[in-house]
Amino acid sequence: MPSLDDIRPLSEVATQNGWQMSPAPSDAGSEIDEAVRELSELRRGRGIFATDIEQRTGRILRETCAIQTTDTERQIREKLIQAITSLATMLPDDLQLAALTALGMEENCSGEFLDQRLKWLAEALGRDPRTARRRVDLAFRRMAEELIEKKQSPADDYSAEQWHTESVHGVFRLDLEFPVLTEIRQIVSSVNGLDEIQLPATAPRRTPSQKDHVRAEFMYGGRILEHRQASPSHMILTVQLAKTLHIGERYEYCIQYTVLSPELMHSYYFLTPLRKTSRFSARVKFAPDRLPRHVWAVHGIPPRAAEEINSEDVPMTIDRIGEVTAEFELLRQGLTYGLRWSDS
């Protein structure tokens, strides 16, 4: 298929102009240091669950988390948890664990004081307490950098997102009569009470006489309430989740797209995330008698350039059963990732 990004979840398709990070101001370094200090202030005592959370929340956290002077202690805590959960899922596993433990948000760790939580973290990592503390410091530095980037892009602040994507595992089968893309996705809720999501997707452009040329259905985890064709190449699915999610709660679903008009497909499977996305694995299975001559991995380039073949690109190897796989981590919003192939 194209991408079935030409079914690329439109929840995840970049706008025509794409997304660009604003240039960092000259004092970005000092702001990062300030953000680190603010995160460090939150980890004392009971961490995020301290009763004086309002007094501990600094300027940068207030700005990036859209905290208002009229917010209650509970509202401040929920906004902080939302932002910190989003930031932490962008980190490697060990740093994610370090950050959440230090702030008192790791569900498997109980400790009224920071030293108790760091002791637990050291045991969980198999390291000494000093190393555990250094992991926390590194995690806070990475999170602070992301916070400042967010501060410079206020239109994309955390409060605007109800959920984000933690991982996408896609298997695109081209060895069937009708190509099928199956995606297992893990999302994380950024609000309380999330029970519906919208999943836009791009599909091969159809003509007015071609109807339902891509069929979408859930294997598990959701039910399609509405299937709206926003344009000849864009559809939007309104999906009811199997349960209502709370802030920071992870949820998995599996959706399958079947291409009923294979002749319309493009030669790629792409993901272009607009929501925060931590991991993406793409596997394509070709028919043994229809193997492409070349397959390339696309590692985070502008959408318009993703379909172009660069003479410097190194082709990937298709294995003996006709499959090729690529893994991507810490995807940048507005850039394209995935696999592209050609018969020439």
Side-chain angles (χ1 to χ4, degrees), residues 234-266:
H234 293 168
M235 59 181 173
I236 299 177
L237 307 177
T238 300
V239 175
Q240 181 183 50
L241 305 179
K243 67 173 185 176
T244 300
L245 306 182
H246 301 290
I247 286 179
E249 187 172 358
R250 289 174 172 78
Y251 186 81
E252 180 178 288
Y253 66 82
C254 178
I255 189 168
Q256 190 172 88
Y257 300 92
T258 302
V259 184
L260 304 178
S261 302
E263 69 279 2
L264 298 178
M265 292 194 331
H266 301 301

Side-chain angles (χ1 to χ4, degrees), residues 26-281:
S26 58
D27 61 345
S30 61
E31 288 213 309
I32 291 172
D33 291 339
E34 183 179 348
V36 170
R37 288 193 294 271
E38 291 185 12
L39 289 168
S40 298
E41 179 66 17
L42 290 182
R43 70 186 177 184
R44 294 190 296 108
R46 295 182 182 273
I48 201 74
F49 297 102
T51 56
D52 60 344
I53 192 70
E54 181 177 1
Q55 290 73 35
R56 292 196 195 183
T57 304
R59 175 185 66 88
I60 291 176
L61 285 171
R62 287 180 175 275
E63 291 178 4
T64 54
C65 299
I67 293 173
Q68 307 297 320
T69 56
T70 55
D71 284 345
T72 64
E73 179 184 307
R74 177 178 177 180
Q75 290 171 325
I76 292 172
R77 182 174 290 109
E78 287 186 349
K79 289 181 178 181
L80 289 171
I81 290 175
Q82 170 186 330
I84 290 167
T85 300
S86 299
L87 289 167
T89 55
M90 301 295 288
L91 299 173
D93 290 345
D94 61 331
L95 297 186
Q96 178 177 330
L97 180 64
L100 297 182
T101 301
L103 292 167
M105 294 171 56
E106 170 54 45
E107 58 184 15
N108 295 317
C109 171
S110 60
E112 183 175 353
F113 301 107
L114 177 60
D115 286 347
Q116 295 171 334
R117 296 195 296 273
L118 289 177
K119 181 179 179 181
W120 180 91
L121 175 63
E123 293 175 354
L125 295 175
R127 297 289 189 270
D128 60 77
R130 292 181 62 184
T131 300
R133 186 178 287 273
R134 285 196 293 270
R135 296 288 174 86
V136 173
D137 292 341
L138 178 56
F140 281 4
R141 170 64 57 171
R142 298 272 186 89
M143 293 166 69
E145 291 169 354
E146 189 70 17
L147 271 174
I148 298 309
E149 183 176 314
K150 284 292 179 183
K151 184 173 178 289
Q152 295 163 12
S153 305
D156 188 33
D157 63 38
Y158 294 110
S159 62
E161 291 191 351
Q162 292 188 318
W163 55 276
H164 67 271
T165 305
E166 186 167 79
S167 65
V168 180
H169 300 284
V171 178
F172 193 13
R173 294 195 60 183
L174 301 178
D175 60 329
L176 305 175
E177 179 182 3
F178 297 105
V180 174
L181 172 66
T182 302
E183 287 189 337
I184 297 175
R185 290 174 169 255
Q186 285 195 337
I187 65 173
V188 179
S189 177
S190 299
V191 296
N192 281 323
L194 182 68
D195 57 6
E196 283 187 12
I197 60 175
Q198 285 199 331
L199 297 179
T202 57
R205 178 175 292 273
R206 68 182 188 180
T207 65
S209 62
Q210 294 168 324
K211 296 183 178 181
D212 298 327
H213 63 308
V214 173
R215 181 177 66 235
E217 55 187 333
F218 270 79
M219 300 296 98
Y220 61 81
R223 175 171 58 190
I224 297 175
L225 299 178
E226 181 184 15
H227 182 159
R228 181 164 61 89
Q229 198 70 35
S231 73
S233 60
H234 293 168
M235 59 181 173
I236 299 177
L237 307 177
T238 300
V239 175
Q240 181 183 50
L241 305 179
K243 67 173 185 176
T244 300
L245 306 182
H246 301 290
I247 286 179
E249 187 172 358
R250 289 174 172 78
Y251 186 81
E252 180 178 288
Y253 66 82
C254 178
I255 189 168
Q256 190 172 88
Y257 300 92
T258 302
V259 184
L260 304 178
S261 302
E263 69 279 2
L264 298 178
M265 292 194 331
H266 301 301
S267 299
Y268 52 78
Y269 170 34
F270 288 160
L271 180 70
T272 305
L274 283 187
R275 294 180 184 271
K276 293 183 289 294
T277 301
S278 300
R279 293 181 295 277
F280 172 42
S281 67

